[in-house]
Every structure is written in C-alpha cells, then in structure tokens.
Amino acid sequence: AQKVHRSGKGALQGLKKGWKESLGAAASGVKAGWSEAKRSGAPISVQSEKGEEWRRSITRDLGQEWVEVVCRQMVGIMLLIFCKTAHRKTIVPVWCSSTGLGFMGGGGNKGGVAASLMIHGLHVCVVCSHLAAHQNEVEQRNQQYHALASRLLDDSSSPHIFGHDCVIWLGDLNYRLDLS
C-alpha cells in the first residue's frame, strides 16, 4: 500500500511510476490496497468518481492481458485484485465483505475490506485494513484487528479468514517500532 497525498494527475503518475515493470513476465496476479487513498485532500467515498479513476487507471496501465477480479471499497479503504486473463477461469468463487470500525464504532474511516477467492483449488483471503493511529493506541489497534478477523466474511459461505489456505493482510496497520 502506498499513501498518495498529492493532487491532480501527478498522484496517479507517482503511484504508477515503475510498478508495472516490477511485476516481471512471470507474475500472474496483482493485489493493490489503499488505506488512505486521497486526491485533492479528500478521502475517496464509497461510490466516488475518484475511486473509479484509480481503478480505471490501473486497469488501463495493466492492459488487455490482465482482468479485474475484485474491486471493493469502503471510504478510503480500497482493494483491487487483478489476474492475467488466461488465469481468470481458475478463480472462483469471489466473496467480498467490509467492516467499518471508525467513528462511533462503525464509520468507514477505519476498518477493512476482504475478498475470499479459490485459486486453482487453494482458498485465498486478501484483507486491506486501516487501523487506529498514534503510538499510544496499540490496544485499540489490537482490538480492531481482532474485530476484523472475526467480522469480515462472517456472513458468507466462504471459510473464516484464518480458515483459508493463504491470508494476505495489507494496509495501514499503524503499528510502530519503539526505538527508545
């Protein structure tokens, strides 16, 4: 995940610069997650044109060889998963959910989005989250992590998050190293 706080087209250009080249020819999947996706100083809203602009830009840059598998967004938390077109038929089913943990315990400024996928018979879960900030909020971050782990995907027929064969958890977890 990368925070982008610049405005205008420079924000997209800054994110895109060099990332596609780093994939290499052997790559068959791409996962991208944002926890504070911002443009012009405002967070992306659930159905915003700005969020759609990010999706379209990455889709365009990847080209026709790649296809979108998942696009799930909750306020500034956004999860995009792409695979090479040749692999798309091997990815089923796709189940997504989101859980807000921010303002008043349910706001979407903190929380997470998750996708459950079956890839070549392997259950894979990808989570993108944004947890409480500040050095002294370790206990709140731990509580938010446990809340996400128990609530995301709990209303689906997919396995619980840790019932998957592989879990990829990304985002702004806001944990810090105490170097003192």
Side-chain angles (χ1 to χ4, degrees):
Q2 177 179 353
K3 291 182 185 179
V4 177
H5 295 282
R6 295 173 297 200
S7 61
K9 296 209 181 280
L12 290 173
Q13 295 303 325
L15 177 67
K16 295 186 302 190
K17 187 175 182 179
W19 73 271
K20 187 177 176 188
E21 292 76 18
S22 69
L23 290 176
S28 59
V30 176
K31 295 130 201 99
W34 289 268
S35 59
E36 292 182 24
K38 294 183 179 185
R39 292 267 326 272
S40 304
I44 295 175
S45 64
V46 176
Q47 301 275 328
S48 76
E49 291 180 29
K50 293 176 181 111
E52 179 62 18
E53 184 180 348
W54 282 96
R55 190 190 68 72
R56 279 193 318 260
S57 177
I58 291 171
T59 301
R60 181 180 56 248
D61 284 354
L62 285 172
Q64 294 180 351
E65 183 181 9
W66 294 83
V67 63
E68 179 183 302
V69 178
V70 171
C71 178
R72 182 69 177 217
Q73 186 177 356
M74 181 182 69
V75 189
I77 303 168
M78 186 173 188
L79 176 65
L80 292 166
I81 300 175
F82 295 87
C83 72
K84 287 196 174 174
T85 304
H87 296 289
R88 181 58 183 107
K89 290 182 181 177
T90 67
I91 302 175
V92 291
V94 175
W95 183 266
C96 297
S97 72
S98 58
T99 299
L101 300 172
F103 183 70
M104 301 289 288
N109 61 319
K110 302 289 188 233
V113 296
S116 175
L117 314 128
M118 174 101 55
I119 305 172
H120 293 287
L122 187 71
H123 282 275
V124 177
C125 179
V126 182
V127 179
C128 183
S129 63
H130 188 194
L131 305 182
H134 307 297
Q135 186 75 21
N136 61 336
E137 296 296 342
V138 175
E139 185 57 37
Q140 185 177 7
R141 282 189 287 280
N142 291 343
Q143 290 172 2
Q144 288 174 337
Y145 164 80
H146 288 290
L148 290 173
S150 66
R151 290 169 42 191
L152 284 170
L153 301 175
D154 70 345
D155 58 348
S156 70
S157 59
S158 71
H160 177 271
I161 287 178
F162 296 112
H164 288 77
D165 299 310
C166 175
V167 177
I168 301 166
W169 198 303
L170 55 108
D172 189 351
L173 305 181
N174 272 314
Y175 285 97
R176 284 135 167 90
L177 296 175
D178 186 358
L179 300 176
S180 59

